[in-house]
Amino acid sequence: MSRPHVIVVGSGGRAYREYAFASLQGRYRVSAVLADEPTWQRPYLSSWRTTDLTDEYAVADAILELTGDGGLAGVFTWDEIVLETTARAAEKLSMPHMSARSAARCRDKFQTRSLLSAAGVPAVRHGLARSADEAVQIGDELGYPLVVKPRALAGSVGVVLAEDASAVRSAFELAHGAAYATLPTGLGVLLEEFLDGPEVSVDSVVVDGEVTCVHVAQKRLGFAPYFEEVGHLITGWAHEPWADELRDHVVAAHHALGVEYGVTHAEVRLTPRGPRLVELNGRLGGDFIPYVGRLATGIDLVCAAADISLGRRPDVTALHGRAAEVRFVYPERDVIVGNVETTQAATVSGIEAAKPLAEPGMTLRLPPRQAIPRVAALIAAGDDAPACARALDAAVALVAAEVEPLEGGDGDR
C-alpha cells in the first residue's frame, strides 16, 4: 500500500527543521515547494518544485504539478513567512487547510487583539501607533511599563519592554525599523499593557474547529528589556491549578480568530488576573518545540499536521509522561564565529541532541542588534525538570566555540 502524500511549502533552516522532514519521511511520501533547489532536504523528498513563495498562484500551480494526476495529497507549512501564501494557495485548490482569512488574522497582531476584544475574550489593552509621538500618547494612556512590538513580524524581533515615554520613543524606532525575512513592514507599531507572570506556549491541534491543547511549554526569556527566547521546557501540565483556565482561554482565542484546521502555537502569559494571549501562530512551533514535545510525550505534532492536511483526525494520546527541554547557547558579547563543536556536549547523559547553530564566519550581535544570535542548541529529556536542568548545565560547559570579539561590538553581557 502506498504511503499518503504530503506537500510541505517552504523549509526553514536545516538546524531547526531537519527533524521535521525526518519525522514525515517515516510515514509519508514527502514533496516540497521551495524557493530554491533543495540541498540538505533532498534525501527526504520524493519530488519538489521551485517557485516564488510570495506568489500564491505560483505556489498553487506547483502544488498541482506535485499532486500529479489528481492524486490525493495534503499541503501545509511550518514556515511563518509563507503561512498566508500557503493558505491562499490551498484555498484556491479546495485542499484542507487553515483558511486564508484566519491565517491573516493570526499573522496580524493588531487584528488578533481587536478580534479577541470584540469576542469578549479577556484581552490586553493596546493601541496602534504610526509615529513616535503617537506611540508616546498611547503609552501615556495605557500606563507604564508596556510592550512595544512590530505589528506583523516573528521571532520576538523588535519587541521591547518600555518603562517610560523616553523608552517608548526608542522602542518605537526599533520596532518600526525591524525586519524579518520577507514578512511585511511599515504597518504600524503595536503597544500593549505589560503582562506580569510567567509565559507559556500551548501547541494545539484543530480539526473542524475543535481545538485540543496538547503540549504546554514553559518559556525561558532573556536579554531584558528584550524578549529573546532562550529555552523551552515541556512537562506535564494537566494538573496545574491554571490548566483548565488556560485551556478555555486558548480555545476561545481560536474561535475568535476563526481557526478551523491545523496545528497551532499559542503564546500566553499566566497573569494574576488569569491567562492572556500574547499571540496565536497558525503553524507548528519553532525552536525545536515539536521535537521537545515528542520527547516528553511521544506525540509527534509534525505528523499530526500532516494528518490534518490529509483530512484525518490525528491521534494525540500521550505515550509517556516525561520532561524535555531545549536550551540555546549565546555568545558573551558580539562576535565573529569560528568553529562550533558540540560533540562532547552530546555525550552527556540525558542529552538527546546537541546542534551547532552558527556557521564559521557568521557574525553574532546580541539583542536587539540581531535576531536570534545563537551559537548552539542543546536538547535534554529526563524524568523531571531538574533532571533536564542537570544535563543541560553539564552540556553547556562542553560546548566549544571559537569566537573573535567583534570590533566596535558590545562588551560582555
Side-chain angles (χ1 to χ4, degrees), residues 196-260:
D196 195 14
E199 186 169 350
V200 300
S201 63
V202 185
D203 293 313
S204 303
V205 300
V206 190
V207 179
D208 292 328
E210 181 182 335
V211 183
T212 302
C213 300
V214 179
H215 295 140
V216 174
Q218 299 174 39
K219 184 177 297 191
R220 316 299 202 190
L221 297 174
F223 297 94
Y226 313 105
F227 292 82
E228 181 80 10
E229 298 178 6
V230 300
H232 308 271
L233 167 68
I234 294 180
T235 60
W237 63 282
H239 300 296
E240 295 286 353
W242 39 258
D244 290 341
E245 194 173 6
L246 174 65
R247 185 185 294 107
D248 290 346
H249 186 75
V250 170
V251 169
H254 281 76
H255 291 164
L257 300 186
V259 175
E260 318 91 335

Side-chain angles (χ1 to χ4, degrees), residues 1-370:
M1 182 177 178
S2 61
R3 291 181 297 171
H5 184 199
V6 294
I7 301 169
V8 178
V9 180
S11 169
R14 180 175 191 172
Y16 285 96
R17 291 299 189 183
E18 187 169 16
Y19 79 88
F21 279 108
S23 284
L24 292 176
Q25 187 190 41
R27 291 174 50 181
Y28 310 92
R29 179 164 66 90
V30 185
S31 299
V33 181
L34 303 170
D36 301 298
E37 285 293 316
T39 53
W40 61 268
Q41 306 98 327
R42 194 178 296 249
Y44 303 102
L45 303 178
S46 64
S47 57
W48 62 87
R49 294 292 185 275
T50 59
T51 194
D52 179 359
L53 296 186
T54 67
D55 183 339
E56 64 203 73
Y57 295 95
V59 171
D61 287 343
I63 293 169
L64 271 179
E65 290 180 18
L66 289 168
T67 58
D69 298 326
L72 176 65
V75 62
F76 73 107
T77 185
W78 50 64
D79 190 340
E80 181 77 12
I81 297 168
V82 298
L83 174 63
E84 289 188 75
T85 304
T86 305
R88 290 192 294 267
E91 206 163 78
K92 294 180 188 304
L93 301 173
S94 300
M95 301 177 79
H97 195 281
M98 180 184 298
S99 70
R101 183 181 68 169
S102 297
R105 289 172 168 181
C106 290
R107 286 250 59 262
D108 186 332
K109 296 175 176 62
F110 179 64
Q111 194 173 168
T112 294
R113 287 274 174 254
S114 301
L115 289 167
L116 291 180
S117 297
V121 179
V124 177
R125 293 183 300 116
H126 64 280
L128 185 69
R130 298 188 180 277
S131 70
D133 287 342
E134 189 177 9
V136 170
Q137 180 181 348
I138 293 170
D140 290 343
E141 293 170 357
L142 294 178
Y144 301 97
L146 50 77
V147 177
V148 183
K149 63 176 66 171
R151 180 173 176 174
L153 296 187
S156 298
V157 174
V159 182
V160 189
L161 179 66
E163 300 281 356
D164 53 34
S166 175
V168 164
R169 287 189 179 276
S170 299
F172 175 88
E173 296 303 330
L174 177 68
H176 180 68
Y180 190 97
T182 59
L183 292 179
T185 59
L187 302 177
V189 171
L190 192 61
L191 292 89
E192 303 174 345
E193 65 173 305
F194 174 67
L195 300 173
D196 195 14
E199 186 169 350
V200 300
S201 63
V202 185
D203 293 313
S204 303
V205 300
V206 190
V207 179
D208 292 328
E210 181 182 335
V211 183
T212 302
C213 300
V214 179
H215 295 140
V216 174
Q218 299 174 39
K219 184 177 297 191
R220 316 299 202 190
L221 297 174
F223 297 94
Y226 313 105
F227 292 82
E228 181 80 10
E229 298 178 6
V230 300
H232 308 271
L233 167 68
I234 294 180
T235 60
W237 63 282
H239 300 296
E240 295 286 353
W242 39 258
D244 290 341
E245 194 173 6
L246 174 65
R247 185 185 294 107
D248 290 346
H249 186 75
V250 170
V251 169
H254 281 76
H255 291 164
L257 300 186
V259 175
E260 318 91 335
Y261 287 98
V263 173
T264 64
H265 180 74
E267 298 179 354
V268 182
R269 282 273 182 168
L270 302 176
T271 79
R273 295 174 291 135
R276 296 293 185 271
L277 186 80
V278 176
E279 62 186 42
L280 178 60
N281 300 288
R283 41 78 186 164
L284 285 160
D287 277 1
F288 302 99
I289 292 174
Y291 177 63
V292 173
R294 190 178 75 199
L295 291 173
T297 67
I299 300 170
D300 191 332
L301 287 180
V302 179
C303 291
D307 282 341
I308 292 169
S309 77
L310 291 161
R312 302 172 175 177
R313 185 177 296 272
D315 183 358
V316 290
T317 305
L319 302 180
H320 51 254
R322 306 179 72 202
E325 182 172 1
V326 57
R327 184 184 299 179
F328 298 106
V329 180
Y330 290 77
E332 291 295 322
R333 57 178 297 163
D334 296 353
V335 298
I336 299 174
V337 178
N339 187 53
V340 178
E341 181 58 64
T342 60
T343 304
Q344 288 300 309
T347 66
V348 173
S349 177
I351 295 296
E352 297 285 339
K355 296 178 176 291
L357 299 178
E359 298 178 355
M362 183 177 290
T363 296
L364 298 182
R365 299 178 186 271
L366 298 180
R369 295 175 299 283
Q370 183 177 333

